[in-house]
Amino acid sequence: HATVTRLLRETELKPAAHLTCVDATKEEVDAVAQGYWDEGVRHIVALRGDPVQGAGTQYQPHPGGYKNAADLVAGLKRIGNFEISVAGYPEKHPESVSSDADIDNLKAKVDAGADRIITQFGFDNAHFLRYLEKARAAGIWVPISPGIVPIHNFNQVANFAKRAGATVP
């Protein structure tokens, strides 16, 4: 958090702070968000986040915490008029039961106040274009930007892609 506020104070950059609701109460998350607002941070990437316990564990909301990214977005909008980006998954989130359920979840994030969607990275544009069509058909009209990942270490990217549900050619 200190790095984001330092960038804002010491540079011309407009940083987007990443904020999750993993292992935190609403009060704890709200305090971080209020601190960002007070420091002048106006863009947040709101993510549910992954379980801290590691791969293979199922996400469970913290007791007294935000239950998911849509709930987090709504909470952030109560604190301030943040510009909010959320995650999208062209090949569906690994925990989603179907791509339709995934689009429903995406719509809930937008309906809660998200201004933009940044997708998980992918290597096949056809997946992104189909996703864009499904999102628009569902009434999601905010900008949707494809995620990009530089490949410095193929094995690391392939492992991350596997966990995120993205195919690798």
Side-chain angles (χ1 to χ4, degrees), residues 44-89:
I44 292 184
V45 179
L47 307 165
R48 182 201 75 184
D50 294 324
V52 173
Q53 297 82 4
T57 58
Q58 191 73 8
Y59 174 80
Q60 292 295 320
H62 186 283
Y66 289 107
K67 62 183 176 182
N68 56 35
D71 194 26
L72 174 60
V73 169
L76 291 171
K77 286 293 187 176
R78 285 190 293 272
I79 292 167
N81 191 26
F82 288 105
E83 177 183 349
I84 300 177
S85 297
V86 294
Y89 296 84

Side-chain angles (χ1 to χ4, degrees), residues 132-152:
L132 187 59
E133 287 176 3
K134 285 186 84 162
R136 298 303 186 229
I140 299 169
W141 292 101
V142 298
I144 301 176
S145 300
I148 299 170
V149 64
I151 301 175
H152 298 291

Side-chain angles (χ1 to χ4, degrees), residues 20-146:
T20 73
C21 49
V22 172
D23 283 350
T25 65
K26 287 182 182 181
E27 291 77 18
E28 291 168 328
V29 173
D30 290 353
V32 171
Q34 185 65 56
Y36 280 142
W37 186 263
D38 293 346
E39 289 287 339
V41 175
R42 296 296 183 259
H43 185 186
I44 292 184
V45 179
L47 307 165
R48 182 201 75 184
D50 294 324
V52 173
Q53 297 82 4
T57 58
Q58 191 73 8
Y59 174 80
Q60 292 295 320
H62 186 283
Y66 289 107
K67 62 183 176 182
N68 56 35
D71 194 26
L72 174 60
V73 169
L76 291 171
K77 286 293 187 176
R78 285 190 293 272
I79 292 167
N81 191 26
F82 288 105
E83 177 183 349
I84 300 177
S85 297
V86 294
Y89 296 84
E91 297 180 68
K92 110 175 169 45
H93 190 281
E95 294 176 21
S96 289
V97 295
S98 69
S99 61
D100 287 340
D102 204 47
I103 290 291
D104 290 344
N105 184 52
L106 184 67
K107 183 144 178 36
K109 292 187 260 187
V110 172
D111 290 347
D115 300 288
R116 163 188 310 105
I117 298 159
I118 304 169
T119 72
Q120 180 60 263
F121 70 87
F123 298 101
D124 185 342
N125 290 341
H127 292 295
F128 177 78
L129 294 173
R130 278 192 297 274
Y131 183 74
L132 187 59
E133 287 176 3
K134 285 186 84 162
R136 298 303 186 229
I140 299 169
W141 292 101
V142 298
I144 301 176
S145 300

